[in-house]
Amino acid sequence: MVQWLRSLVFVVQGAVAMLVLGIVFAPWAIFSPVGARTACKTYCRWIFWTARWMIGLTTEVRGPVPTDEVVIAAKHQSFLDIMMIFYAVPVPKFIMKRELLWTPIIGIYAKRLGCVPVARGKRGAAIAKMVADVKAGRAMPGQLIIYSQGTRVKPGDKVPYKVGSAVLYQQLEQPCVPAATNAGLFWPKGGILRKPGHAVVEFLPTIAPGVSRDAFMAELEEVVETNSDRLMQDAGFKPDAIRQ
């Protein structure tokens, strides 16, 4: 009960902080992607700091942080892993659901950050436009983040990997950096409760350009799932047991 009350206070103050920072940084963010990134990274710092002393949750990013133009194909368990990856890399941009564009504050900032909104069934067209914009100099290059399963996945659940990661990897002809996480153990999808512990995002060895689609998908799923399971086991959980 005490942890739930702490979580409630944490969630409320996080929402207030998002609103306040969104408004304070708006004049800069409207005219500059740098302003939008600064606002979002300031919010991430605030959340990481308050999470430590309010709910006992610490964060860590492991592995070489990508700084060049790459595709980051990440495991997605929680809003926390979004913030951890965003804060770690220099110019993050997400493949995101188009519906999020209509979310107050998040939608406005997503546009300024250069995120790529994707409607259901139209991922290929959105990716093609993004590639063309980067090549034509209309969009800032950076680290493009895609969630290979297409949604947040509860720790222990098995959800198929979607081919969109391979399409993006092949169209951009860029290296792909897989990323694993255990963040969903502590910051689950839905609900109020946030659990104490140590959340990790780990950047894994790069997959070089030129791998065939089938081989890429097989390697991506193997390394991300194996390492996400390892991170969860290190935190004291047994993913294989959870799936049964």
Side-chain angles (χ1 to χ4, degrees), residues 161-182:
Y161 275 54
K162 298 181 181 295
V163 74
S165 296
V167 172
L168 187 63
Y169 162 78
Q170 291 184 324
Q171 286 189 350
L172 287 175
E173 298 180 335
Q174 292 176 355
C176 175
V177 178
T181 189
N182 66 2

Side-chain angles (χ1 to χ4, degrees), residues 19-30:
L19 177 62
V20 171
L21 289 172
I23 294 172
V24 169
F25 278 91
W28 187 13
I30 289 171

Side-chain angles (χ1 to χ4, degrees), residues 79-235:
F79 184 57
L80 180 59
D81 59 62
I82 293 178
M83 290 188 288
M84 292 171 70
I85 293 175
F86 183 91
Y87 188 74
V89 303
V91 189
K93 299 181 290 183
F94 290 88
I95 300 286
M96 56 180 280
K97 295 178 182 178
R98 191 172 188 85
E99 293 80 3
L100 291 175
L101 287 179
W102 313 115
T103 304
I105 300 178
I106 291 178
I108 295 171
Y109 278 83
K111 291 177 183 178
R112 299 302 297 140
L113 291 169
C115 294
V116 182
V118 177
R120 288 188 180 274
K122 298 182 180 180
R123 180 186 297 266
I127 291 173
K129 182 179 184 306
M130 183 275 300
V131 173
D133 286 347
V134 170
K135 290 182 177 179
R138 293 189 296 269
M140 183 179 296
Q143 299 77 44
L144 188 63
I145 302 137
I146 185 169
Y147 290 110
S148 302
Q149 291 165 293
T151 186
R152 282 180 293 181
V153 178
K154 182 180 177 181
D157 283 358
K158 294 291 287 184
V159 174
Y161 275 54
K162 298 181 181 295
V163 74
S165 296
V167 172
L168 187 63
Y169 162 78
Q170 291 184 324
Q171 286 189 350
L172 287 175
E173 298 180 335
Q174 292 176 355
C176 175
V177 178
T181 189
N182 66 2
L185 295 175
F186 312 104
W187 187 314
K189 177 181 179 179
I192 297 296
L193 182 64
R194 305 290 185 261
K195 300 176 182 179
H198 189 60
V200 178
V201 164
E202 183 171 347
F203 293 114
L204 304 167
T206 300
I207 302 174
V211 178
S212 70
R213 179 175 298 190
D214 289 345
F216 170 82
M217 290 300 298
E219 181 176 355
L220 177 65
E221 182 170 358
E222 171 65 22
V223 298
V224 171
E225 291 300 302
T226 298
N227 284 282
S228 292
D229 284 356
R230 171 179 55 80
L231 292 175
M232 288 190 285
Q233 289 170 341
D234 289 348

